[in-house]
Amino acid sequence: MTVVGPRVGTPLLDAAEGLHEALPGHRVEIVGGRLLVTPPRDSGHARSLTRLTFALAPFRGHGTEVVQGVGLWLPTGDEDHAVPDLAVVEVGFGKHAVAFNCCAPEVFRMVVEITSSNRITDLTTKPQSYAAAAVPVYVVGDRRRREVVVFSDPRGGEYRSRAVYPSGERFLVPEVVRMGSDFPAEPRSDGSDGADGAGPPVELDVDDFLSVE
């Protein structure tokens, strides 16, 4: 996939930079040609991300790792980029940086959003953008409806599979997320290269996505 970086003097990017400086702690994105600003996380949102980071720990050391706050440069426009709440990325993702702390989309195996003020964008616009970027799996914790939506199988700019899991259930992370890494793994402290197979299946609790204040 060809990723087009930002152009000098692009109005929305200039505005985004200004908002980053004026509103510390806010998340600023450009998705579908629209500038989005999300206030800092509430306590429930933060609690969900902590729980999910621990739950996704098995991905660490199998050619992938779990990160927060790493942006994804989208192929849908010269300015488009999103900053998912949580992501499973290829080891060595930092070598594929584009701009504004964003990396090329091919290093992302799964992205996670916990709904807040931009709930409709998370459920409608972002699935289109992440599918266009060929992110294998996109997971949304919809706190209003008390359910998790799992989008997978991106083809032709859309996700062909959409599964919904209500509060109280558990679900397996799609196998494609834990498949072998496409990028060389970085050496670990024990001398191994970190690419020791696909790793075990990972099951997540829906309620970990749905914490409230």
Side-chain angles (χ1 to χ4, degrees):
M1 177 183 299
T2 301
V3 178
V4 179
R7 296 180 310 212
V8 176
T10 307
L12 276 182
L13 284 177
D14 290 344
E17 282 193 280
L19 288 169
H20 272 297
E21 296 178 3
L23 300 171
H26 288 62
R27 179 171 55 168
V28 182
E29 306 166 288
I30 300 174
V31 181
R34 295 177 56 221
L35 186 61
L36 305 176
V37 181
T38 305
R41 300 163 179 161
D42 61 39
S43 59
H45 194 290
R47 189 180 303 116
S48 285
L49 291 184
T50 298
R51 290 175 176 174
L52 291 170
T53 299
F54 282 111
L56 292 169
F59 284 110
R60 186 174 182 273
H62 297 282
T64 53
E65 56 185 294
V66 182
V67 296
Q68 295 185 25
V70 174
L72 188 161
W73 200 265
L74 297 165
T76 50
D78 291 346
E79 305 167 294
D80 282 7
H81 62 283
V83 185
D85 286 320
L86 195 68
V88 177
V89 295
E90 302 278 359
V91 170
F93 67 94
K95 298 174 183 177
H96 302 269
V98 179
F100 298 103
N101 195 38
C102 294
C103 293
E106 57 262 33
V107 305
F108 290 81
R109 306 299 302 168
M110 180 173 78
V111 295
V112 176
E113 300 281 10
I114 306 297
T115 59
S116 53
S117 59
N118 286 328
R119 173 179 176 273
I120 299 302
T121 298
D122 289 342
L123 290 165
T124 58
T125 307
K126 283 190 175 179
Q128 298 172 1
S129 298
Y130 289 141
V135 176
V137 177
Y138 171 40
V139 183
V140 184
D142 186 347
R143 294 193 290 174
R144 181 180 299 177
R145 296 195 63 175
R146 306 297 297 166
E147 64 187 20
V148 165
V149 184
V150 180
F151 298 89
S152 59
D153 191 16
R155 285 183 286 164
E158 64 180 21
Y159 285 109
R160 301 300 179 92
S161 176
R162 180 181 184 274
V164 180
Y165 301 91
S167 175
E169 290 195 1
R170 298 177 65 86
F171 66 95
L172 285 173
V173 174
E175 185 176 1
V176 65
V177 178
R178 62 188 184 90
M179 291 171 64
S181 172
D182 294 329
F183 295 96
E186 294 177 342
R188 294 198 302 234
S189 58
D190 62 4
S192 63
D193 63 6
D196 44 358
V202 176
E203 189 176 42
L204 299 180
D205 188 329
V206 167
D207 289 326
D208 282 346
F209 290 78
L210 308 178
S211 299
V212 294
E213 291 184 278

